[in-house]
Coordinates of all heavy atoms in Angstrom, one line a residue:
M3 N 0.9 -1.2 0.0 CA 0.0 0.0 0.0 C 0.9 1.2 0.0 O 1.8 1.3 0.8 CB -0.9 0.0 1.2 CG -1.8 1.2 1.3 SD -2.9 1.1 2.8 CE -4.4 1.3 1.9
P4 N 0.6 2.2 -0.9 CA 1.4 3.4 -0.9 C 1.2 4.3 0.4 O 0.2 4.1 1.1 CB 0.9 4.2 -2.1 CG -0.5 3.6 -2.4 CD -0.5 2.2 -1.8
F5 N 2.2 5.1 0.6 CA 2.1 6.0 1.8 C 0.9 6.9 1.7 O 0.6 7.4 0.6 CB 3.4 6.8 1.9 CG 3.6 7.5 3.2 CD1 3.9 6.8 4.3 CD2 3.3 8.8 3.3 CE1 4.1 7.4 5.5 CE2 3.4 9.5 4.5 CZ 3.8 8.8 5.6
P6 N 0.1 7.0 2.7 CA -1.1 7.8 2.7 C -0.8 9.3 2.4 O 0.2 9.9 2.8 CB -1.7 7.7 4.1 CG -1.0 6.5 4.7 CD 0.3 6.4 4.0
K7 N -1.7 9.9 1.6 CA -1.6 11.3 1.3 C -1.9 12.2 2.5 O -2.5 11.6 3.5 CB -2.5 11.7 0.2 CG -2.1 11.0 -1.1 CD -3.0 11.4 -2.3 CE -2.5 10.9 -3.6 NZ -3.1 9.7 -4.1
Q8 N -1.7 13.5 2.5 CA -1.9 14.3 3.6 C -3.3 14.3 4.2 O -3.5 14.2 5.4 CB -1.5 15.8 3.3 CG -1.6 16.7 4.4 CD -1.3 18.2 4.1 OE1 -1.1 18.5 2.9 NE2 -1.1 19.0 5.1
E9 N -4.3 14.3 3.3 CA -5.7 14.3 3.8 C -6.0 12.9 4.4 O -6.7 12.9 5.4 CB -6.6 14.6 2.7 CG -6.7 16.0 2.2 CD -7.0 17.0 3.4 OE1 -7.9 16.7 4.2 OE2 -6.2 18.0 3.5
E10 N -5.5 11.9 3.9 CA -5.7 10.5 4.5 C -5.0 10.4 5.8 O -5.6 9.8 6.8 CB -5.1 9.5 3.5 CG -5.9 9.4 2.2 CD -5.2 8.5 1.2 OE1 -3.9 8.5 1.2 OE2 -5.9 7.9 0.4
R11 N -3.8 11.0 6.0 CA -3.1 11.0 7.3 C -3.9 11.8 8.3 O -4.1 11.4 9.4 CB -1.7 11.6 7.1 CG -0.8 10.7 6.3 CD 0.7 11.1 6.4 NE 0.9 12.5 6.1 CZ 1.2 13.0 4.9 NH1 1.3 12.2 3.9 NH2 1.5 14.2 4.7
K12 N -4.4 13.0 7.9 CA -5.2 13.8 8.8 C -6.5 13.0 9.3 O -6.8 13.1 10.5 CB -5.7 15.1 8.1 CG -4.5 16.1 8.0 CD -5.1 17.4 7.4 CE -4.0 18.4 7.2 NZ -4.5 19.6 6.6
K13 N -7.1 12.3 8.4 CA -8.3 11.6 8.7 C -8.0 10.4 9.7 O -8.7 10.2 10.6 CB -9.0 11.0 7.5 CG -10.3 10.3 7.7 CD -10.9 9.8 6.4 CE -12.2 9.1 6.8 NZ -12.9 8.5 5.6
C14 N -6.8 9.8 9.4 CA -6.4 8.7 10.3 C -6.1 9.2 11.7 O -6.6 8.6 12.7 CB -5.1 8.1 9.7 SG -4.3 6.9 10.8
W15 N -5.3 10.3 11.8 CA -5.0 10.8 13.1 C -6.3 11.3 13.8 O -6.4 11.1 15.0 CB -4.0 12.0 13.0 CG -2.6 11.5 12.8 CD1 -2.1 10.9 11.7 CD2 -1.6 11.5 13.8 NE1 -0.8 10.5 11.9 CE2 -0.4 10.9 13.2 CE3 -1.5 11.9 15.1 CZ2 0.8 10.7 13.8 CZ3 -0.3 11.7 15.7 CH2 0.8 11.1 15.1
A16 N -7.2 11.9 13.1 CA -8.4 12.4 13.8 C -9.2 11.2 14.3 O -9.8 11.2 15.4 CB -9.2 13.2 12.8
S17 N -9.3 10.1 13.5 CA -10.1 9.0 13.9 C -9.4 8.2 15.1 O -10.0 7.8 16.0 CB -10.4 8.0 12.8 OG -9.2 7.4 12.3
K18 N -8.1 8.2 15.1 CA -7.3 7.6 16.2 C -7.5 8.4 17.5 O -7.8 7.9 18.5 CB -5.8 7.6 15.8 CG -4.9 6.9 16.9 CD -4.1 7.9 17.8 CE -3.4 9.0 17.1 NZ -2.9 9.9 18.1
D19 N -7.5 9.8 17.3 CA -7.7 10.6 18.5 C -9.1 10.5 19.0 O -9.3 10.4 20.3 CB -7.5 12.1 18.1 CG -6.0 12.4 17.8 OD1 -5.1 11.6 18.2 OD2 -5.7 13.5 17.2
A20 N -10.1 10.3 18.2 CA -11.5 10.1 18.6 C -11.6 8.8 19.3 O -12.3 8.7 20.3 CB -12.4 10.2 17.4
Y21 N -11.0 7.8 18.8 CA -11.1 6.5 19.5 C -10.4 6.5 20.8 O -10.9 6.0 21.8 CB -10.4 5.4 18.6 CG -10.3 4.0 19.2 CD1 -11.5 3.3 19.6 CD2 -9.1 3.4 19.4 CE1 -11.4 2.1 20.2 CE2 -9.0 2.2 20.0 CZ -10.2 1.5 20.4 OH -10.1 0.3 21.0
W22 N -9.2 7.1 20.9 CA -8.5 7.2 22.2 C -9.3 8.0 23.2 O -9.4 7.7 24.4 CB -7.1 7.8 22.0 CG -6.1 6.9 21.4 CD1 -6.3 5.7 20.7 CD2 -4.7 7.0 21.5 NE1 -5.1 5.1 20.3 CE2 -4.1 5.9 20.8 CE3 -3.8 8.0 22.0 CZ2 -2.7 5.8 20.6 CZ3 -2.5 7.8 21.8 CH2 -1.9 6.7 21.2
Q23 N -9.9 9.1 22.7 CA -10.8 9.9 23.6 C -12.0 9.1 24.1 O -12.3 9.2 25.3 CB -11.2 11.2 22.9 CG -11.9 12.1 23.8 CD -11.0 12.6 25.0 OE1 -9.9 13.1 24.7 NE2 -11.5 12.5 26.2
C24 N -12.6 8.3 23.3 CA -13.7 7.5 23.7 C -13.2 6.5 24.7 O -13.9 6.3 25.7 CB -14.2 6.7 22.4 SG -15.6 5.7 22.8
L25 N -12.1 5.9 24.6 CA -11.6 4.9 25.6 C -11.3 5.7 26.9 O -11.7 5.1 27.9 CB -10.3 4.3 25.1 CG -10.4 3.3 24.0 CD1 -9.0 2.9 23.5 CD2 -11.2 2.1 24.3
T26 N -10.8 6.8 26.8 CA -10.5 7.6 28.1 C -11.8 8.0 28.7 O -12.0 7.8 29.9 CB -9.7 8.9 27.7 OG1 -8.5 8.5 27.2 CG2 -9.5 9.7 29.0
D27 N -12.8 8.4 27.9 CA -14.1 8.8 28.5 C -14.9 7.7 29.1 O -15.7 7.9 30.0 CB -14.9 9.5 27.4 CG -14.4 10.9 27.0 OD1 -13.5 11.4 27.6 OD2 -14.8 11.3 25.9
N28 N -14.6 6.5 28.6 CA -15.4 5.3 29.0 C -14.5 4.3 29.8 O -14.8 3.1 29.8 CB -16.0 4.6 27.8 CG -17.1 5.4 27.1 OD1 -18.1 5.5 27.7 ND2 -16.8 6.0 26.0
N29 N -13.5 4.8 30.5 CA -12.7 4.0 31.4 C -12.1 2.8 30.7 O -12.2 1.7 31.3 CB -13.6 3.6 32.6 CG -12.9 3.8 33.9 OD1 -11.8 4.5 34.0 ND2 -13.5 3.3 35.0
E30 N -11.7 3.0 29.5 CA -11.0 1.9 28.7 C -11.9 0.8 28.3 O -11.5 -0.3 28.0 CB -9.8 1.4 29.5 CG -8.7 2.4 29.8 CD -8.2 3.2 28.7 OE1 -7.8 2.6 27.6 OE2 -8.1 4.4 28.8
D31 N -13.3 1.0 28.4 CA -14.2 0.0 28.0 C -14.4 0.0 26.5 O -15.1 0.8 25.9 CB -15.6 0.3 28.6 CG -16.6 -0.8 28.4 OD1 -16.3 -1.7 27.5 OD2 -17.7 -0.8 29.0
K32 N -13.7 -0.9 25.8 CA -13.7 -1.0 24.3 C -15.0 -1.3 23.7 O -15.3 -0.8 22.6 CB -12.7 -2.0 23.9 CG -11.2 -1.7 24.2 CD -10.3 -2.8 23.8 CE -8.9 -2.4 24.2 NZ -7.9 -3.4 23.8
S33 N -15.9 -1.9 24.5 CA -17.2 -2.3 24.0 C -18.1 -1.0 23.7 O -19.0 -1.0 22.9 CB -18.0 -3.2 24.9 OG -18.3 -2.6 26.1
K34 N -17.7 0.1 24.4 CA -18.5 1.3 24.2 C -17.9 2.2 23.1 O -18.5 3.3 22.8 CB -18.5 2.1 25.5 CG -19.3 1.4 26.6 CD -19.3 2.3 27.8 CE -20.1 1.6 28.9 NZ -20.1 2.3 30.2
C35 N -16.9 1.7 22.4 CA -16.2 2.5 21.4 C -16.1 1.8 20.1 O -15.1 2.0 19.3 CB -14.8 2.9 21.9 SG -14.8 3.8 23.4
T36 N -17.0 0.9 19.8 CA -16.9 0.1 18.6 C -17.0 0.9 17.3 O -16.3 0.7 16.3 CB -17.9 -1.1 18.6 OG1 -19.2 -0.5 18.8 CG2 -17.6 -2.1 19.6
Q37 N -17.9 1.9 17.4 CA -18.1 2.8 16.2 C -16.8 3.6 15.9 O -16.3 3.6 14.8 CB -19.2 3.8 16.4 CG -19.5 4.7 15.2 CD -20.6 5.6 15.4 OE1 -21.4 5.5 16.4 NE2 -20.8 6.6 14.6
E38 N -16.2 4.1 17.0 CA -14.9 4.8 16.8 C -13.8 3.9 16.4 O -13.0 4.3 15.5 CB -14.5 5.5 18.1 CG -15.4 6.7 18.5 CD -16.7 6.3 19.2 OE1 -17.0 5.1 19.4 OE2 -17.4 7.2 19.7
R39 N -13.8 2.7 16.9 CA -12.7 1.7 16.5 C -12.9 1.4 15.0 O -11.9 1.3 14.3 CB -12.8 0.5 17.4 CG -11.9 -0.6 17.0 CD -10.5 -0.3 17.4 NE -9.5 -1.2 16.8 CZ -8.2 -1.3 17.2 NH1 -7.8 -0.5 18.1 NH2 -7.4 -2.2 16.7
N40 N -14.1 1.2 14.5 CA -14.3 0.8 13.1 C -13.8 2.0 12.2 O -13.2 1.7 11.2 CB -15.8 0.5 12.9 CG -16.2 -0.8 13.5 OD1 -15.3 -1.7 13.7 ND2 -17.5 -1.0 13.7
E41 N -14.2 3.2 12.6 CA -13.7 4.4 11.8 C -12.2 4.5 11.8 O -11.6 4.7 10.8 CB -14.4 5.6 12.4 CG -14.0 6.9 11.7 CD -14.5 7.0 10.3 OE1 -15.5 6.4 9.9 OE2 -13.8 7.7 9.4
Y42 N -11.6 4.2 13.0 CA -10.2 4.2 13.1 C -9.5 3.2 12.2 O -8.6 3.5 11.4 CB -9.8 4.0 14.6 CG -8.5 3.7 15.0 CD1 -7.4 4.4 14.6 CD2 -8.2 2.6 15.9 CE1 -6.1 4.1 15.0 CE2 -7.0 2.3 16.4 CZ -5.9 3.1 15.9 OH -4.6 2.8 16.4
E43 N -10.0 2.0 12.2 CA -9.4 0.9 11.4 C -9.7 1.2 9.9 O -8.8 0.8 9.1 CB -10.0 -0.4 11.8 CG -9.5 -0.9 13.2 CD -10.1 -2.3 13.6 OE1 -11.0 -2.8 12.9 OE2 -9.6 -2.8 14.6
N44 N -10.8 1.8 9.6 CA -11.1 2.1 8.2 C -10.3 3.3 7.6 O -10.1 3.4 6.4 CB -12.6 2.3 8.0 CG -13.3 1.0 8.1 OD1 -12.8 -0.1 7.8 ND2 -14.5 1.1 8.6
S45 N -9.9 4.2 8.5 CA -9.2 5.4 8.1 C -7.7 5.3 8.1 O -7.0 6.1 7.5 CB -9.5 6.5 9.1 OG -10.9 6.8 9.1
C46 N -7.1 4.3 8.8 CA -5.7 4.1 8.9 C -5.2 2.8 8.3 O -5.9 1.8 8.3 CB -5.2 4.1 10.4 SG -5.7 5.6 11.3
I47 N -4.0 2.8 7.7 CA -3.4 1.6 7.2 C -3.1 0.7 8.4 O -2.9 1.1 9.6 CB -2.2 1.8 6.4 CG1 -1.1 2.5 7.2 CG2 -2.5 2.5 5.1 CD1 0.2 2.7 6.4
K48 N -3.2 -0.6 8.2 CA -3.1 -1.6 9.2 C -1.8 -1.5 10.1 O -1.9 -1.6 11.3 CB -3.1 -3.0 8.6 CG -3.1 -4.1 9.7 CD -3.2 -5.5 9.0 CE -3.2 -6.6 10.1 NZ -3.2 -7.9 9.6
Q49 N -0.7 -1.2 9.5 CA 0.6 -1.0 10.2 C 0.4 0.2 11.2 O 1.0 0.1 12.3 CB 1.7 -0.8 9.3 CG 2.1 -2.0 8.4 CD 1.3 -2.0 7.1 OE1 0.3 -1.3 7.0 NE2 1.8 -2.8 6.2
W50 N -0.2 1.2 10.8 CA -0.4 2.4 11.7 C -1.3 2.0 12.9 O -1.1 2.4 14.0 CB -0.9 3.6 10.9 CG 0.1 4.2 10.1 CD1 1.3 3.7 9.6 CD2 0.0 5.5 9.5 NE1 1.9 4.6 8.8 CE2 1.2 5.7 8.7 CE3 -0.9 6.5 9.6 CZ2 1.4 6.9 8.1 CZ3 -0.6 7.7 8.9 CH2 0.5 7.9 8.2
V51 N -2.4 1.3 12.6 CA -3.3 0.9 13.7 C -2.5 0.0 14.7 O -2.6 0.3 15.9 CB -4.5 0.0 13.2 CG1 -5.3 -0.6 14.3 CG2 -5.4 0.9 12.3
T52 N -1.7 -0.9 14.3 CA -0.9 -1.7 15.2 C 0.1 -0.8 16.0 O 0.2 -1.0 17.2 CB -0.1 -2.8 14.3 OG1 -1.0 -3.6 13.6 CG2 0.8 -3.6 15.2
Y53 N 0.7 0.1 15.3 CA 1.7 1.0 16.0 C 1.0 1.8 17.0 O 1.4 1.9 18.1 CB 2.4 1.9 14.9 CG 3.2 3.0 15.6 CD1 4.4 2.7 16.2 CD2 2.6 4.3 15.7 CE1 5.1 3.8 16.8 CE2 3.3 5.3 16.4 CZ 4.5 5.0 16.9 OH 5.2 6.0 17.6
F54 N -0.1 2.5 16.6 CA -0.9 3.3 17.5 C -1.4 2.6 18.7 O -1.4 3.1 19.9 CB -2.0 4.1 16.8 CG -1.6 5.1 15.9 CD1 -2.2 5.3 14.7 CD2 -0.5 6.0 16.2 CE1 -1.9 6.3 13.8 CE2 -0.1 7.0 15.3 CZ -0.8 7.2 14.1
D55 N -1.9 1.3 18.5 CA -2.4 0.5 19.6 C -1.3 0.2 20.6 O -1.5 0.3 21.8 CB -3.0 -0.8 19.1 CG -4.4 -0.6 18.4 OD1 -5.0 0.5 18.5 OD2 -4.8 -1.5 17.8
R56 N -0.1 -0.2 20.1 CA 1.0 -0.5 21.0 C 1.5 0.8 21.7 O 1.9 0.8 22.8 CB 2.2 -1.1 20.1 CG 1.9 -2.5 19.7 CD 3.0 -3.0 18.9 NE 2.7 -4.4 18.4 CZ 3.4 -5.0 17.5 NH1 4.4 -4.4 16.9 NH2 3.0 -6.2 17.1
R57 N 1.4 1.9 21.0 CA 1.9 3.2 21.6 C 0.9 3.6 22.7 O 1.4 4.0 23.8 CB 1.8 4.3 20.5 CG 2.1 5.7 21.0 CD 3.6 5.9 20.9 NE 3.8 7.3 21.3 CZ 4.8 7.7 22.1 NH1 5.7 6.8 22.5 NH2 5.0 8.9 22.4
R58 N -0.4 3.4 22.6 CA -1.3 3.7 23.7 C -1.0 2.8 24.9 O -1.0 3.3 26.0 CB -2.7 3.6 23.2 CG -3.7 3.9 24.3 CD -5.1 3.9 23.8 NE -6.1 4.1 24.9 CZ -6.4 5.3 25.5 NH1 -5.9 6.4 25.0 NH2 -7.2 5.4 26.5
D59 N -0.8 1.5 24.6 CA -0.5 0.6 25.7 C 0.7 1.0 26.4 O 0.8 1.0 27.7 CB -0.4 -0.9 25.2 CG -1.6 -1.5 24.7 OD1 -2.7 -1.0 25.0 OD2 -1.6 -2.5 23.9
Y60 N 1.7 1.4 25.7 CA 3.0 1.8 26.3 C 2.8 3.1 27.1 O 3.2 3.2 28.3 CB 4.1 2.1 25.2 CG 5.2 2.9 25.8 CD1 6.2 2.2 26.6 CD2 5.4 4.2 25.5 CE1 7.3 2.9 27.1 CE2 6.5 4.9 26.0 CZ 7.4 4.3 26.8 OH 8.4 5.0 27.3
L61 N 2.1 4.1 26.6 CA 1.8 5.3 27.3 C 1.0 5.1 28.6 O 1.3 5.7 29.6 CB 1.1 6.3 26.4 CG 2.0 6.8 25.2 CD1 1.1 7.7 24.3 CD2 3.2 7.6 25.7
K62 N 0.0 4.2 28.5 CA -0.8 3.9 29.7 C 0.1 3.2 30.8 O 0.0 3.5 31.9 CB -2.0 3.0 29.3 CG -3.0 3.8 28.6 CD -3.6 4.8 29.5 CE -4.7 5.6 28.8 NZ -5.2 6.7 29.6
F63 N 0.9 2.3 30.3 CA 1.8 1.6 31.3 C 2.8 2.6 31.9 O 3.0 2.6 33.1 CB 2.6 0.5 30.6 CG 3.5 -0.2 31.5 CD1 3.1 -1.1 32.4 CD2 4.9 0.0 31.4 CE1 4.0 -1.8 33.3 CE2 5.8 -0.6 32.2 CZ 5.3 -1.5 33.2
K64 N 3.4 3.4 31.1 CA 4.4 4.4 31.5 C 3.7 5.4 32.6 O 4.3 5.7 33.6 CB 4.9 5.3 30.4 CG 5.9 6.3 30.7 CD 6.3 7.1 29.5 CE 7.2 8.3 29.9 NZ 7.5 9.1 28.8
E65 N 2.5 5.8 32.3 CA 1.7 6.6 33.2 C 1.5 5.9 34.6 O 1.7 6.5 35.6 CB 0.4 6.9 32.6 CG -0.5 7.9 33.4 CD -1.8 8.2 32.6 OE1 -1.8 8.7 31.5 OE2 -2.9 7.8 33.2
K66 N 1.2 4.6 34.6 CA 1.0 3.9 35.8 C 2.4 3.7 36.6 O 2.4 3.9 37.8 CB 0.5 2.5 35.5 CG -1.0 2.4 35.2 CD -1.4 1.0 35.0 CE -2.9 0.9 34.6 NZ -3.3 -0.5 34.5
V67 N 3.5 3.5 35.8 CA 4.8 3.4 36.5 C 5.1 4.7 37.1 O 5.6 4.7 38.3 CB 5.8 3.0 35.4 CG1 7.2 3.1 36.0 CG2 5.6 1.5 35.0
E68 N 4.9 5.8 36.4 CA 5.3 7.1 37.0 C 4.4 7.4 38.3 O 4.9 8.1 39.1 CB 5.1 8.2 35.9 CG 6.2 8.1 34.9 CD 5.9 9.0 33.7 OE1 4.8 9.6 33.6 OE2 6.8 9.2 32.9
K69 N 3.2 6.9 38.3 CA 2.4 7.1 39.5 C 2.6 6.1 40.6 O 2.0 6.2 41.6 CB 0.9 7.1 39.1 CG 0.4 8.3 38.2 CD -1.0 8.1 37.9 CE -1.5 9.3 37.1 NZ -2.9 9.1 36.7
G70 N 3.4 5.1 40.3 CA 3.7 4.0 41.2 C 2.5 3.0 41.3 O 2.4 2.3 42.3
E71 N 1.7 2.9 40.3 CA 0.6 2.1 40.3 C 0.7 0.8 39.5 O -0.2 0.0 39.4 CB -0.7 2.8 39.8 CG -1.0 4.0 40.6 CD -2.1 4.9 39.9 OE1 -2.5 4.6 38.7 OE2 -2.5 5.8 40.5
A72 N 1.9 0.6 38.9 CA 2.1 -0.5 38.0 C 2.2 -1.8 38.8 O 3.1 -1.9 39.6 CB 3.3 -0.3 37.1
D73 N 1.3 -2.8 38.5 CA 1.4 -4.1 39.2 C 2.4 -5.0 38.4 O 2.9 -6.0 38.9 CB 0.0 -4.7 39.2 CG -0.9 -4.0 40.1 OD1 -0.4 -3.3 41.1 OD2 -2.1 -4.0 39.9
E74 N 2.5 -4.7 37.1 CA 3.4 -5.5 36.3 C 4.8 -5.1 36.4 O 5.2 -4.0 36.6 CB 3.0 -5.4 34.8 CG 1.5 -5.7 34.6 CD 1.1 -5.2 33.2 OE1 2.0 -5.2 32.3 OE2 0.0 -4.9 33.0
V75 N 5.7 -6.1 36.3 CA 7.1 -5.8 36.3 C 7.7 -6.4 35.0 O 7.5 -7.6 34.7 CB 7.8 -6.5 37.5 CG1 9.3 -6.3 37.5 CG2 7.3 -5.9 38.8
L76 N 8.3 -5.5 34.3 CA 8.9 -6.0 33.1 C 10.4 -6.5 33.4 O 11.2 -5.8 34.0 CB 9.0 -4.9 32.1 CG 7.7 -4.3 31.6 CD1 7.9 -3.2 30.6 CD2 6.9 -5.4 30.9
E77 N 10.6 -7.7 33.0 CA 12.0 -8.3 33.1 C 12.6 -8.3 31.8 O 12.0 -8.6 30.8 CB 11.8 -9.7 33.7 CG 11.3 -9.7 35.1 CD 11.2 -11.1 35.7 OE1 12.0 -12.0 35.2 OE2 10.5 -11.3 36.7
P78 N 14.0 -8.1 31.8 CA 14.7 -8.2 30.5 C 14.7 -9.7 30.0 O 14.5 -10.6 30.8 CB 16.1 -7.8 30.9 CG 16.2 -7.9 32.4 CD 14.8 -7.8 32.9
P79 N 14.7 -9.9 28.7 CA 14.7 -11.3 28.2 C 15.9 -12.0 28.8 O 17.0 -11.5 29.0 CB 14.8 -11.1 26.7 CG 15.1 -9.7 26.5 CD 14.9 -8.9 27.7
K80 N 15.7 -13.3 29.1 CA 16.8 -14.2 29.6 C 17.7 -14.6 28.5 O 17.3 -15.0 27.4 CB 16.2 -15.4 30.3 CG 15.3 -15.0 31.5 CD 14.9 -16.2 32.2 CE 13.8 -15.9 33.1 NZ 13.8 -15.7 34.4
T81 N 19.0 -14.5 28.7 CA 20.0 -14.9 27.8 C 20.7 -16.1 28.3 O 20.9 -16.2 29.5 CB 21.0 -13.7 27.4 OG1 21.6 -13.3 28.7 CG2 20.3 -12.6 26.8
S82 N 21.1 -16.9 27.4 CA 21.9 -18.1 27.9 C 23.3 -17.9 28.0 O 23.9 -17.1 27.4 CB 21.7 -19.2 26.8 OG 20.4 -19.5 26.6

């Protein structure tokens, strides 16, 4: 797939922002944001959706760590 044009990128970012805002407004309840998710997936190329989803997970985890609320501990990969 060719790189998205400026208008396509703007639409992608706007739909991503709307989806993320919906998640924030609904306490991360994805079931309440299906319309926004569909628009987001239809507006962005698949690689961007994957990247943005991972980015949000990372930012949420980082926020918890900074607040001292992270229950998860990330361990480095074991090497032989």
